[in-house]
Amino acid sequence: MPFRITTAADRGLKDTGWLQSNFSLSFGPYANPERTGFGLLRVFNDDFVQAGKGFGLHAHSNMEIISVMLAGRMNHKDSLGYSEEVTTDWVQIMSAGSGLRHEEYNIGDDQVNFLQIWIEPKLQNVTPRYQRRHFPAEKRRNQLTTIVSNEEGTAHCWINQNAKLSLGFFDAGQQVDYRLNPLNKSVFLFVLEGQLTVNGQVVQQRESIGLWETDLISVAVDRESKFILIEAPINH
């Protein structure tokens, strides 16, 4: 099956002093014609935000925007009326739909690290919505935990697209076989910590692998590892 690995050093970088963004896919100032997206996954940023800094009020529309908090504390305020705090192991989604505005700042004393993930929606101009869920690490060990899907439910967030996002936290020596939804056929995996062998390819910390035209992937955990796995359609 075809695959593409992006090493940590091969990612794009934006460093403003208060914000360091690492781009696995083209975004903002980073324009790589070979990485303009991965199917309907359009943005995958590994962001670090300094204390007291953040993103002022800005608008989004017709995009499924997912934030996975890896470390630190951020606020979330939006034009839907939400004003909340998100911390380590929280996941929040915004189905931007017909349009909303929001802001987010590091409100803690330490650096924030979060993943910013954008997926193209299935339906355009839907009513905007916001949701968040907590996924404590101690409850996720040695299992693949669904954090976002296209199905409504109380155990995960749901979005306007036939996509599924899962967090893995496994001890060394574990083996994970993951079968894709037949409608998708592509998967993007990013290693947060540790080292994996994915369908025979070694993927190290802060590296990603994208695979397509497949129904099944096999993940061998070489060292204790944390990772995120995203399956989404190649086309609408």
Side-chain angles (χ1 to χ4, degrees):
M1 75 197 66
F3 69 90
R4 182 178 72 198
I5 291 178
T6 300
T7 69
D10 283 342
R11 296 180 297 174
L13 175 64
K14 176 183 178 180
D15 192 343
T16 65
W18 67 268
L19 169 66
Q20 178 181 306
S21 289
N22 302 276
F23 307 122
S24 295
L25 303 171
S26 293
F27 183 77
Y30 175 62
N32 185 329
E34 295 182 355
R35 298 183 187 139
T36 56
F38 184 73
L40 298 187
L41 173 63
R42 306 306 301 173
V43 172
F44 190 94
N45 297 349
D46 183 12
D47 287 347
F48 296 83
V49 182
Q50 298 304 312
K53 304 296 183 179
F55 306 91
L57 192 66
H58 58 285
H60 293 287
S61 63
N62 288 319
M63 192 65 70
E64 303 301 299
I65 299 173
I66 301 140
S67 297
V68 180
M69 290 293 296
L70 304 178
R73 298 170 55 217
M74 292 189 80
N75 77 326
H76 168 88
K77 295 177 68 175
D78 64 37
S79 54
L80 300 178
Y82 290 95
S83 180
E84 298 183 327
E85 178 181 317
V86 286
T87 58
T88 305
D89 292 337
W90 280 83
V91 174
Q92 65 175 18
I93 65 96
M94 292 190 306
S95 284
S98 58
L100 57 74
R101 295 177 297 161
H102 79 130
E103 67 176 51
E104 47 197 342
Y105 284 89
N106 181 345
I107 57 174
D109 298 324
D110 301 316
Q111 179 177 252
V112 156
N113 178 207
F114 75 106
L115 301 178
Q116 181 179 177
I117 301 164
W118 294 13
I119 296 175
E120 290 188 33
K122 185 175 183 179
L123 301 174
Q124 298 286 303
N125 298 317
V126 300
T127 300
R129 50 182 294 277
Y130 168 84
Q131 192 177 45
R132 65 173 185 160
R133 293 282 188 266
H134 188 213
F135 301 93
E138 64 272 13
K139 295 184 178 181
R140 295 189 283 105
R141 196 168 195 106
N142 290 324
Q143 60 181 322
L144 200 58
T145 303
T146 300
I147 58 172
V148 176
S149 90
N150 67 324
E151 298 178 351
E152 296 187 42
T154 59
H156 57 261
C157 299
W158 66 276
I159 59 171
N160 169 30
Q161 185 49 267
N162 180 47
K164 184 177 180 181
L165 284 74
S166 304
L167 286 176
F169 180 19
F170 287 89
D171 294 330
Q174 298 288 311
Q175 176 79 29
V176 183
D177 292 323
Y178 184 86
R179 186 167 294 280
L180 281 70
N181 182 320
L183 297 176
N184 290 334
K185 300 292 188 181
S186 70
V187 64
F188 180 93
L189 186 151
F190 181 79
V191 179
L192 297 163
E193 299 177 14
Q195 178 180 297
L196 307 173
T197 299
V198 182
N199 283 25
Q201 304 298 320
V202 174
V203 189
Q204 302 186 61
Q205 184 164 306
R206 254 51 187 193
E207 295 184 346
S208 65
I209 183 170
L211 307 101
W212 59 101
E213 297 178 11
T214 185
D215 299 308
L216 177 71
I217 67 167
S218 295
V219 179
V221 183
D222 303 328
R223 299 196 297 266
E224 180 182 276
S225 296
K226 296 179 180 179
F227 61 93
I228 185 168
L229 187 154
I230 304 170
E231 65 162 297
I234 293 291
N235 301 300
H236 288 278

